[in-house]
Amino acid sequence: MTLDEREWITANGEETEKLGGQLLGTAPARDAPCRIVTLSGDLGAGKSTFARGALRALGVTGSIKSPSYTLLETYPLSTVTAVHLDLYRLKDPSELEHLGLADYHRPGHLWLIEWPEHGGTRLPRADLHFEFTIGPNGHRIERIEKFRPDK
């Protein structure tokens, strides 16, 4: 499985977590520009599971907390700082101003953003976007080339 593909089907959470690790588990170089990865889809479609797989593959060994209530969790690792955002509970994109996101938008950082559409145009442009759906054969994960969070 590589990023050259555009679509994957996973039968369960373990497969979704493994896919997240395979696709996003390679850390960018410490001086590489900040990389933004967005994850959209219905509740229960696998976004958090996919993100957890990526974080594990990057080297997070402790507890991976869901940022559902805090909106933001950071994981400083040896080669990269991973920033996991879950914007589901965001009522207005202006609430992002209180998170200090500018501090994390710099080289050596990787962002995983769930529900980016709730952040509107206040988020940096995504480098990669994945759309998650639940289908009859499992979870469908599709890589989208051009994503506009303001739509």
Side-chain angles (χ1 to χ4, degrees), residues 32-98:
C34 183
R35 186 170 194 195
I36 309 293
V37 179
T38 53
L39 314 170
S40 293
D42 293 332
L43 283 171
K47 297 177 299 298
S48 294
T49 303
F50 184 88
R52 183 175 53 247
L55 292 167
R56 287 276 178 238
L58 287 168
V60 177
T61 56
S63 174
I64 295 178
K65 301 176 197 171
S66 170
S68 295
Y69 293 99
T70 59
L71 300 179
L72 169 84
E73 290 290 336
T74 60
Y75 301 92
L77 302 164
S78 61
T79 58
V80 68
T81 296
V83 179
H84 185 192
L85 294 118
D86 183 333
L87 305 182
Y88 179 73
R89 297 185 47 202
L90 210 63
K91 293 185 185 352
D92 187 271
S94 65
E95 294 176 58
L96 288 172
E97 293 175 23
H98 306 292

